[in-house]
Amino acid sequence: MASKSAPIWTDASSDLLKVTRGFVLGTVDPGSTPGFTGDKTDAQTVGRTAAESLAHQQEMLFANSREGDQRKVLLILQGMDTSGKGGIVRHVLGAVDPQGVSHVAFKAPTAAELRHDFLWRIRRQLPVAGMIGVFDRSHYEDVLIGRVRQLAPPEEIEKRYDLINAFEQELVDDDTTVIKVMLHISAGEQKKRLLERLDRPDKYWKFNPGDIDERMLWPGYQAAYQTALKRTSTAFAPWHVVPADRKWFARLAVQQLLLKALDDMVLTWPPADFDVLAERARLAAS
Amino acid sequence: MASKSAPIWTDASSDLLKVTRGFVLGTVDPGSTPGFTGDKTDAQTVGRTAAESLAHQQEMLFANSREGDQRKVLLILQGMDTSGKGGIVRHVLGAVDPQGVSHVAFKAPTAAELRHDFLWRIRRQLPVAGMIGVFDRSHYEDVLIGRVRQLAPPEEIEKRYDLINAFEQELVDDDTTVIKVMLHISAGEQKKRLLERLDRPDKYWKFNPGDIDERMLWPGYQAAYQTALKRTSTAFAPWHVVPADRKWFARLAVQQLLLKALDDMVLTWPPADFDVLAERARLAAS
């Protein structure tokens, strides 16, 4: 049992991040740590235990899939450049057996992908039973950069919100737990992180001059996020907005959201689908 | 610098594992630790440092791919059931950023896959530039279980060795470093590990009655391995036989083989392909 002073993460903490009716992105402080009273060191303590739990739960999810259980998890990560999507993958998913994680980073669509519906390339990368799929960017780009850069006519963009909701309903009906996370950073923090990429030769490769072009469109992106969050945070696939100016908080929060999704599955080890005693006898004789 | 008594892994250790002319599988003791004088604790000490190195080198490999470098690594793991292929993935590749690892476990081919050449499904899963691809089983199954179970006519199996060599030459020409590892366990150790799966309810899911059927064909499999090792250990894609009765040794050896492959690439951080000062000024003004 936790002592009364040790900061913990509760289900209520997760709920605080959920996007519900009346949500306004502009009122969320990217530097805040809603639902967690501890500091970085406390977060690391909570995180270490959670990492073991996550690895254990994922193995059970995988084990059950071998026996026909169709359940899988899809974690969708969105956020402005430098918001820490890659760090989440490295630090949170890094604790899980690589055999149980299927990671996809969606870039600008190729010419071949553009000849299909925007969901076509997404469908091809969906996690199979037993897996935790992680999308670093996703179909949401088609209502984010797609909207801000006017990559499609407004009436086409408009249709996509409903198409996305219908698509995600399909995923849920197919036993997918969909966890949607927006990593929310401030413009000031982004400037600091981009500057670091320009100051350190080991970070140059992460920098793209186009990042500054996108940065110039900050208000447009915030507005596109607000619309997307409002239109696509459903009961079956809600959005979570995770304040991300403090990396340690964002990592803790996403780890806990993932862990809660697995806990809610009430996983156990699958029973033997063979006669244990008979197999033991066959083995002894071999 | 290592003190004179601290056991280390050297290039000579890696060479000891290489399959060269005159190699006889039956003479390799699965319980041995060739090229390493230390024990499990020493291996863990060496392994911790190597894990950090591996993560660092992989990030540089990935970074360079962003600038057009086509290099990638393919680690092929083969071995009898329970030889520890999954453990290698979890423990060795688990230290690397999940974004840089593409893992594929090849099962019995599907009906659709069987309508193609045996290399078809393999080609579709090859790692792209910047990645470490890991194959848990591979095209070698088609000359292992394929041969032992006579899943194809002998003359067809016979042709596959040359087809495999030609295929792997193609991979090497496409800037792939191919690392082939056979995890070599003894029949006694396998019995112990299978028994553990029958004794522990949290391991039942890993057990398949078919594993014992395959075990009954042990000498046939050893002969098929001997032939495959002899026919496909080439200068450009040599095999390594890693004694695997001691899991700590197998993990250390594979980690070191991987690390050596990356070291041999002499990776550095790619230079900026933009004007750092100009970008810094644009950022400051944004």
Side-chain angles (χ1 to χ4, degrees), chain A residues 59 62-63 66-67 86 89-90 93-94 97-99 103 107 136 191 194-195 198-199 201-202 204-207 209 212-213 215-216 269-272 274 276 279-280 282-284 286, chain B residues 59 62-63 66-67 86 89-90 93-94 97-99 103 107 136 191 194-195 198-199 201-202 204-207 209 212-213 215-216 269-272 274 276 279-280 282-284 286:
Chain A
E59 193 183 354
F62 191 80
R66 293 298 192 84
E67 311 299 334
V89 177
R90 193 158 50 251
L93 280 310
D97 190 334
Q99 294 162 97
H103 169 269
K107 308 290 180 194
D136 176 340
K191 185 181 255 185
L194 285 174
L195 193 59
L198 289 170
D199 279 344
D202 64 328
Y204 284 167
W205 69 276
K206 295 189 176 188
F207 182 85
I212 298 183
D213 302 332
R215 175 175 168 76
M216 310 269 198
W269 293 111
F274 48 83
V276 176
E279 293 302 322
R280 211 179 277 158
R282 281 179 75 214
L283 179 60
S286 73
Chain B
E59 193 183 356
F62 191 79
R66 295 298 192 85
E67 313 297 333
V89 176
R90 194 158 48 251
L93 279 309
D97 189 336
Q99 295 162 95
H103 170 268
K107 308 289 177 194
D136 175 340
K191 184 180 256 185
L194 285 174
L195 194 58
L198 289 170
D199 280 343
D202 62 329
Y204 284 166
W205 69 277
K206 295 189 177 190
F207 182 84
I212 298 183
D213 302 331
R215 175 175 167 76
M216 311 267 199
W269 294 111
F274 48 83
V276 175
E279 293 301 323
R280 210 177 280 158
R282 280 180 76 214
L283 179 60
S286 74

Side-chain angles (χ1 to χ4, degrees), chain B residues 121-141:
Chain B
R121 65 176 188 150
I122 310 293
R123 287 183 189 276
R124 288 162 53 98
Q125 304 278 9
L126 290 169
V128 298
M131 299 293 284
I132 298 178
V134 185
F135 284 177
D136 175 340
R137 305 188 185 272
S138 66
H139 45 293
Y140 283 99
E141 291 298 315

Side-chain angles (χ1 to χ4, degrees), chain B residues 105-175:
Chain B
F106 287 97
K107 308 289 177 194
T110 63
E113 287 169 349
L114 285 171
R115 286 195 290 269
H116 293 276
D117 170 70
F118 76 106
L119 293 172
W120 180 80
R121 65 176 188 150
I122 310 293
R123 287 183 189 276
R124 288 162 53 98
Q125 304 278 9
L126 290 169
V128 298
M131 299 293 284
I132 298 178
V134 185
F135 284 177
D136 175 340
R137 305 188 185 272
S138 66
H139 45 293
Y140 283 99
E141 291 298 315
D142 296 282
V143 293
L144 293 168
I145 191 171
R147 186 180 176 110
V148 175
R149 292 269 178 198
Q150 303 179 1
L151 303 179
E155 59 275 17
E156 161 68 18
I157 303 273
E158 180 56 32
K159 279 182 204 157
R160 287 181 182 167
Y161 302 100
D162 289 342
L163 289 169
I164 287 174
N165 288 336
F167 168 61
E168 292 179 358
Q169 177 71 67
E170 256 182 72
L171 300 187
V172 171
D173 290 346
D174 187 37
D175 297 323

Side-chain angles (χ1 to χ4, degrees), chain A residues 41-271:
Chain A
T41 309
D42 298 319
Q44 284 165 342
T45 307
V46 175
R48 264 190 298 275
T49 310
E52 279 174 36
S53 233
L54 198 56
H56 174 68
Q57 297 273 15
Q58 192 285 322
E59 193 183 354
M60 283 197 290
L61 179 69
F62 191 80
N64 280 283
S65 75
R66 293 298 192 84
E67 311 299 334
D69 189 331
Q70 288 300 309
R71 288 180 292 178
K72 64 280 275 179
V73 174
L74 174 59
L75 173 65
I76 296 176
L77 297 173
Q78 287 287 161
M80 300 293 288
D81 287 326
T82 76
S83 59
K85 301 182 293 293
I88 296 281
V89 177
R90 193 158 50 251
H91 294 276
V92 178
L93 280 310
V96 175
D97 190 334
Q99 294 162 97
V101 176
S102 106
H103 169 269
V104 191
F106 288 97
K107 308 290 180 194
T110 63
E113 287 168 349
L114 285 172
R115 285 194 290 269
H116 293 277
D117 171 70
F118 76 104
L119 292 171
W120 180 80
R121 65 176 187 152
I122 309 294
R123 286 182 189 276
R124 287 162 55 96
Q125 304 278 8
L126 291 170
V128 298
M131 299 292 285
I132 299 177
V134 185
F135 286 178
D136 176 340
R137 303 187 186 271
S138 66
H139 43 295
Y140 283 99
E141 290 298 315
D142 295 283
V143 293
L144 293 168
I145 191 171
R147 185 181 177 109
V148 175
R149 291 269 180 200
Q150 304 179 359
L151 302 179
E155 58 275 18
E156 161 69 18
I157 304 273
E158 179 55 32
K159 280 182 203 157
R160 287 180 182 166
Y161 301 100
D162 290 342
L163 289 169
I164 287 174
N165 288 336
F167 169 60
E168 292 178 357
Q169 177 71 67
E170 256 184 69
L171 301 187
V172 171
D173 290 346
D174 187 37
D175 296 325
T176 309
T177 300
V178 180
I179 308 171
K180 303 191 293 196
V181 170
M182 180 211 178
L183 297 172
H184 183 45
I185 54 165
S186 62
E189 180 67 18
Q190 190 194 50
K191 185 181 255 185
K192 216 180 90 194
R193 293 185 188 177
L194 285 174
L195 193 59
E196 194 188 20
R197 293 182 180 180
L198 289 170
D199 279 344
R200 289 177 47 179
D202 64 328
K203 300 268 189 187
Y204 284 167
W205 69 276
K206 295 189 176 188
F207 182 85
N208 187 321
D211 298 347
I212 298 183
D213 302 332
E214 297 308 302
R215 175 175 168 76
M216 310 269 198
L217 302 170
W218 192 273
Y221 274 105
Q222 298 298 302
Y225 268 107
Q226 169 68 37
T227 304
L229 293 167
K230 186 180 157 184
R231 300 278 303 268
T232 63
S233 195
T234 54
F236 50 88
W239 271 103
H240 297 85
V241 170
V242 173
D245 274 7
R246 304 189 201 205
K247 289 181 183 175
W248 62 262
F249 177 76
R251 288 169 191 173
L252 176 68
V254 176
Q255 183 191 45
Q256 294 290 335
L257 289 172
L258 206 45
L259 191 53
K260 180 170 172 5
L262 289 160
D263 279 342
D264 286 350
M265 291 184 187
V266 196
L267 293 158
T268 54
W269 293 111

